[in-house]
Amino acid sequence: MFNEHFDLDRLPLAALKVSLALSLLTLINYGMALPALVASLGGTVLVVGSVLSLAAFFRAVSRVFAGFLRDRLGDRPVLFLAAAMRGLAFTLLAFSQDVRQVALAAVLFSSSQGFESIALLSFTASQTVGSSATSTFFGLVLTVRMLPGTLSSVFTGFLAKTFGVKSVFAAGMLLSVAVLAALSKVEIRSSKHPSKIENAGRVLKFEYMILWLSTLFLFMAVTSFAPLLTLWVTRELGYDLAILGLVLFPQSLVALFSRVYSGYIADKLGSLKSLILVGLVRFAAFFLIPYASAPLLLAALVALRGSLMAGPPRNAYIASLFNRKSYGKAYGAVGVAQDMGGIVGPLASSLIAEVWGFKAAFHFMALCVAIYASLLLLLLKENKPTGLVR
């Protein structure tokens, strides 16, 4: 199926190896475990949203700093720093005694995510620039990155139910050590492929700014989903974390394939059309989820939400706009949009849930992705796509 797109000689094996090393950390479902830890320490839904919003602010700051650091020092130092920060965050969470300590650890964890994502995306872009299958390559790298995450909800739920929620973070602490050891074995070098576009100032072009704004709205919904679903399923529906893990498992299984076929669809259909399709699918899922209570139906709707991914086409689109030396700043800038969504989204959705209930909060997420899709539709109509975006 991929023959006309794939050039095996240019398959980004180095990026896949880095992604495989980082994938060990996805065995821990942080978004599922953190709200449970805050609740066990006496925190309310609003406290959960506040902690996540604070963490998202620092993730945004870290992405900006990581972008400049990556473009100056390269990908390797940033990746090692990210893994070390992640291990420290897990250690603090495993030994936390109050919500303030959890908030500090969440800030450190989110900052590590900012460093890691910028380095991994920039390294992948440098390996795939010029390919006609850039979106698919990004899908492969992101799939490998999330591969163990297929079992993360079940694994996390089992640990939390059997040994307590803090055991989840103790396991993450050990996995972080393994990641650092694995990264030390991987050679991380810059690609030799020449850049097609040398004008990094395109960041201010209309198409990039619309993409940035749409990403903000998408991530207002994305970052709200896991904590709200966790609290709704455990508090309103009365299920435990083991049942929640089973509800999330089909989505993890779908995600095992969806990043690759989402990238392939984008390479065939066009990145903007593919991104709009992501918005339509997620709108349907967010709108319908609060009307489901049976675990099987919930699992189906949660899986629908993850059936198409925005990451591969968005990352390929950004890669087509910048030269290789500016990838860090380019991905850092759009990462700020993601994290601004993470600042506003969880706080707004948790406040809505407190005042008007969980149904209104899920519908708020549906509204956010509707705005996201509408902005991209405007971009599709007003501008002819450039670079690898067809």
Side-chain angles (χ1 to χ4, degrees):
M1 179 174 62
F2 299 144
N3 288 346
E4 70 175 275
H5 282 285
F6 268 69
D7 179 355
L8 294 179
D9 292 333
R10 296 191 60 189
L11 191 66
L13 294 179
L16 289 173
K17 290 178 181 178
V18 171
S19 186
L20 182 61
L22 295 171
S23 71
L24 292 174
L25 293 172
T26 63
L27 276 170
I28 305 301
N29 194 320
Y30 173 80
M32 174 180 165
L34 186 72
L37 178 61
V38 173
S40 72
L41 295 172
T44 65
V45 177
L46 188 57
V47 169
V48 172
S50 299
V51 168
L52 292 175
S53 294
L54 177 67
F57 171 79
F58 280 92
R59 188 189 300 116
V61 173
S62 74
R63 286 190 205 266
V64 175
F65 182 68
F68 283 95
L69 190 66
R70 178 267 168 194
D71 290 343
R72 188 174 185 85
L73 300 180
D75 301 303
R76 188 181 186 90
V78 180
L79 286 169
F80 272 90
L81 180 59
M85 293 169 65
R86 190 77 55 92
L88 181 57
F90 277 132
T91 302
L92 291 174
L93 288 168
F95 294 99
S96 60
Q97 298 296 321
D98 57 46
V99 173
R100 289 175 297 178
Q101 293 173 0
V102 172
L104 176 61
V107 165
L108 189 60
F109 185 95
S110 297
S111 298
S112 76
Q113 289 178 315
F115 276 84
E116 179 194 303
S117 66
I118 297 306
L120 180 61
L121 293 176
S122 299
F123 185 60
T124 303
S126 71
Q127 300 294 305
T128 60
V129 64
S131 169
S132 61
T134 301
S135 293
T136 310
F137 284 142
F138 267 107
L140 273 174
V141 170
L142 294 175
T143 295
V144 171
R145 171 68 178 83
M146 301 305 297
L147 197 59
T150 306
L151 300 173
S152 67
S153 58
V154 175
F155 179 69
T156 300
F158 171 78
L159 283 181
K161 185 175 182 180
T162 307
F163 304 106
V165 69
K166 288 187 178 181
S167 68
V168 175
F169 302 111
M173 178 178 60
L174 297 176
L175 287 170
S176 298
V177 175
V179 169
L180 283 168
L183 285 176
S184 69
K185 303 294 185 181
V186 180
E187 290 190 22
I188 304 174
R189 297 177 179 174
S190 298
S191 169
K192 300 298 183 182
H193 298 309
S195 176
K196 295 196 309 179
I197 298 175
E198 298 299 329
N199 182 16
R202 291 185 61 134
V203 67
L204 297 179
K205 288 284 186 178
F206 174 79
E207 61 267 26
Y208 188 81
M209 295 305 296
I210 293 296
L211 178 71
W212 191 95
L213 187 59
S214 68
T215 300
L216 169 68
F217 281 99
L218 175 64
F219 274 79
M220 285 176 63
V222 167
T223 55
S224 300
F225 179 68
L228 262 294
L229 183 73
T230 296
L231 295 170
W232 181 58
V233 168
T234 56
R235 289 190 176 185
E236 294 292 308
L237 301 184
Y239 297 122
D240 59 27
L241 285 179
I243 295 296
L244 176 62
L246 293 174
V247 167
L248 293 172
F249 175 71
Q251 174 189 252
S252 300
L253 194 61
V254 169
L256 181 62
F257 306 100
S258 65
R259 289 177 178 84
V260 177
Y261 69 67
S262 294
Y264 181 74
I265 288 172
D267 286 326
K268 299 289 285 185
L269 183 65
S271 291
L272 291 178
K273 291 180 181 178
S274 177
L275 288 168
I276 292 170
L277 189 59
V278 170
L280 296 177
V281 168
R282 296 200 176 192
F283 174 83
F286 286 138
F287 188 84
L288 294 173
I289 280 174
Y291 297 102
S293 57
L296 186 61
L297 182 55
L298 266 176
L301 289 173
V302 172
L304 174 65
R305 170 196 167 273
S307 61
L308 282 176
M309 295 293 181
R314 182 179 63 246
N315 294 329
Y317 184 68
I318 294 169
S320 72
L321 298 179
F322 295 87
N323 66 53
R324 179 166 52 84
K325 292 183 179 180
S326 299
Y327 284 154
K329 291 185 284 290
Y331 287 110
V334 82
V336 171
Q338 297 175 15
D339 292 321
M340 286 182 66
I343 294 169
V344 177
L347 188 59
S349 61
S350 61
L351 182 60
I352 290 171
E354 289 274 12
V355 177
W356 290 292
F358 284 96
K359 180 179 177 181
F362 282 109
H363 286 172
F364 166 74
M365 289 182 252
L367 175 63
C368 288
V369 293
I371 296 172
Y372 153 83
S374 299
L375 286 168
L376 291 176
L377 185 61
L378 172 66
L379 179 57
L380 185 66
K381 289 182 177 181
E382 295 294 330
N383 292 267
K384 291 183 178 181
T386 58
L388 296 179
V389 185
R390 297 188 297 274

